[in-house]
Amino acid sequence: MLRGVRVKLDPTPRQERMLRSHAGAARFAYNTMLGMVKDALDGKIEGFGWSRAELRRIWNACKVRVAPWYADNSKEAYSYGVECLASALRNWSDSKKGRRKGRKTGFPKFKSRNRHMKFAYTTGSFGLVRDDPKALKLPRIGRVHCFEDVEKRVGVGRVIRMTVSCVAGCWYASLCVEYPDPAGLGKTGGGTVGIDLGVKTLATLSDGAVVENPKHYRRNERKLRRAGKRLSRRVKGSNRWKRAKLAVQKQHSRIASQRRDTIGKATTMIARTYGHVVIEDLNVEGMKHDHCLARAVSDAAFGEFRRQLEYKCSDTGTVLTVADRWYPSSKTCSRCGTVKAKLSLAERVFVCDNPDCEYAREGVDRDWNAAKNLEHYVAGSAPGDGKRAPRSRKTTSPLEVGNAGTVETRTKQPGGA
């Protein structure tokens, strides 16, 4: 199985110049070959294939003429640029012919030096350095110091690919590590839990646990606004403009790191604690079309939450079930099974339409009710027919929560939300 390990590099000034040179080489190969593809489409030159092997063959044939300085950088940098172009052309072609899911992919565009600083190693002597746990070997660049113990993070795995990128002025190495497949992986106990994702609370669990939504973008929005205003007042291309732009990038990077840390801790806790996890299949892209929710949904990062939960459940042996997208988990009463006809987003307290149901008199927290329905969801069942376990005691619902990841559960009270 393959896993990713991302570490921050600490290059010297000379090494940083070489890293930028390699990223520029990858971008130059991409733009050069894209220009030749466009010339072939316009009939200016003879046509050729768009496969990775064909593009690399043409690049090797013309690199001495178009890039006489090509020997200053590793050949892997140019190969990465050609690989990216082949992938972009394939995605465009598949999207045009209807063989690719998702939104339509446009024809590749030329890359700018202000946005694309990345290259990769796939062959050659690269990766860990023996007897030097805090270093990585990059061909043509040499030993580059790292801020953390790479050898400890990689463990028994084998590095098969290394992608080097620059984010907000900092250089990172993303290692694709191959590990042996786990044998007989399985978990006993832990119970079943349903998880309802939301904006008010990031995740509400059916056992009462609540992961608060820190709303990192909203909390740092004022800093972003001030940094963007400072950037807009600078002359584009000047040194002060570059420093102001770097400040904006660092602020965005900090928000992304905080969001990734919150989701990482929550998904790790869930995967290690429970034996069976049930989540809902959300249409995140459709939710972003609502201008009132788009920013909050993007800040919550539901897709990243599910992505991390999938591979962590696979690692720990936890069974992950994804409920059908049209399963009415929020509209269904977890006590009697009655399905409401309508339930607006503003209604945070679920009140059952069945007058004989206890929840018709007292109500229950909307998110917890949905999580409870997901806990007893059976894949393949009809909407509203979620299987429910018999209850021998009074249901409890979360009424008050503390910090992110901590829970306080109390017995349901009349009118509780």
Side-chain angles (χ1 to χ4, degrees), residues 73-92:
N73 303 296
S74 172
K75 65 180 181 63
E76 290 297 301
Y78 306 104
S79 298
Y80 175 76
V82 173
E83 176 188 350
C84 290
L85 178 60
S87 177
L89 291 171
R90 182 176 62 255
N91 291 338
W92 171 75

Side-chain angles (χ1 to χ4, degrees), residues 97-337:
K97 296 177 181 178
R99 295 197 299 257
R100 189 174 189 271
K101 296 181 179 180
R103 62 173 60 182
K104 292 294 183 180
T105 302
F107 192 80
K109 298 180 180 179
F110 292 105
K111 291 187 176 182
S112 168
R113 70 174 61 187
N114 296 324
R115 296 186 58 185
H116 300 87
M117 298 287 289
K118 183 187 293 187
F119 64 97
Y121 295 100
T122 56
T123 61
S125 179
F126 66 90
L128 303 179
V129 181
R130 180 175 297 181
D131 299 329
D132 194 355
K134 290 190 175 182
L136 286 173
K137 182 180 181 182
L138 279 64
R140 302 304 299 272
I141 298 177
R143 174 199 175 276
V144 180
H145 184 260
C146 303
F147 282 100
E148 51 189 316
D149 193 329
V150 188
E151 185 176 339
K152 181 180 179 180
R153 293 196 58 187
V154 172
V156 298
R158 181 175 66 92
V159 180
I160 61 176
R161 183 185 177 95
M162 178 168 57
T163 303
V164 183
S165 59
C166 181
V167 180
C170 300
W171 288 90
Y172 296 88
S174 299
L175 310 178
C176 182
V177 187
E178 183 181 25
Y179 293 97
D181 294 332
L185 188 63
K187 180 187 291 186
T188 58
T192 304
V193 66
I195 302 177
D196 179 73
L197 301 179
V199 173
K200 182 180 178 182
T201 56
L202 181 59
T204 302
L205 280 61
S206 59
D207 63 352
V210 175
V211 180
E212 293 292 341
N213 185 6
K215 301 178 181 178
H216 297 293
Y217 184 87
R218 184 175 179 179
R219 289 193 296 107
N220 293 274
E221 195 172 6
R222 182 181 180 185
K223 296 180 180 178
L224 274 174
R225 189 185 302 113
R226 295 179 65 181
K229 186 181 295 186
R230 190 178 301 111
L231 175 63
S232 66
R233 293 171 176 171
R234 301 290 184 258
V235 178
K236 188 174 182 179
S238 64
N239 290 332
R240 298 181 70 192
W241 177 85
K242 294 178 181 179
R243 289 196 295 268
K245 181 182 178 182
L246 183 60
V248 175
Q249 293 175 344
K250 286 185 176 181
Q251 190 61 38
H252 277 290
S253 178
R254 182 171 181 268
I255 295 173
S257 299
Q258 291 175 340
R259 183 184 299 114
R260 189 164 50 246
D261 178 72
T262 299
I263 295 177
K265 291 178 179 178
T267 52
T268 299
M269 180 272 296
I270 294 172
R272 292 179 178 177
T273 304
Y274 303 97
H276 189 179
V277 178
V278 184
I279 61 174
E280 50 190 341
D281 184 19
L282 295 175
N283 182 16
V284 180
E285 194 65 29
M287 296 169 68
K288 291 181 180 179
H289 291 168
D290 186 348
H291 68 279
C292 297
L293 289 175
R295 183 177 299 180
V297 171
S298 300
D299 194 12
F302 297 146
E304 178 66 12
F305 191 100
R306 175 174 169 178
R307 185 193 70 83
Q308 291 194 23
L309 191 61
E310 285 178 347
Y311 81 81
K312 289 179 181 179
C313 286
S314 176
D315 290 347
T316 58
T318 302
V319 179
L320 177 64
T321 301
V322 180
D324 183 77
R325 178 171 294 183
W326 305 110
Y327 174 66
S329 59
S330 297
K331 296 182 179 180
T332 304
C333 178
S334 60
R335 170 69 78 177
C336 65

Side-chain angles (χ1 to χ4, degrees), residues 348-350 362-366 397-399 412-417:
R348 307 313 306 172
V349 178
F350 179 88
E362 303 177 3
V364 68
D365 181 77
R366 171 201 178 112
S397 60
L399 296 179
K412 179 178 61 62
Q413 300 292 339

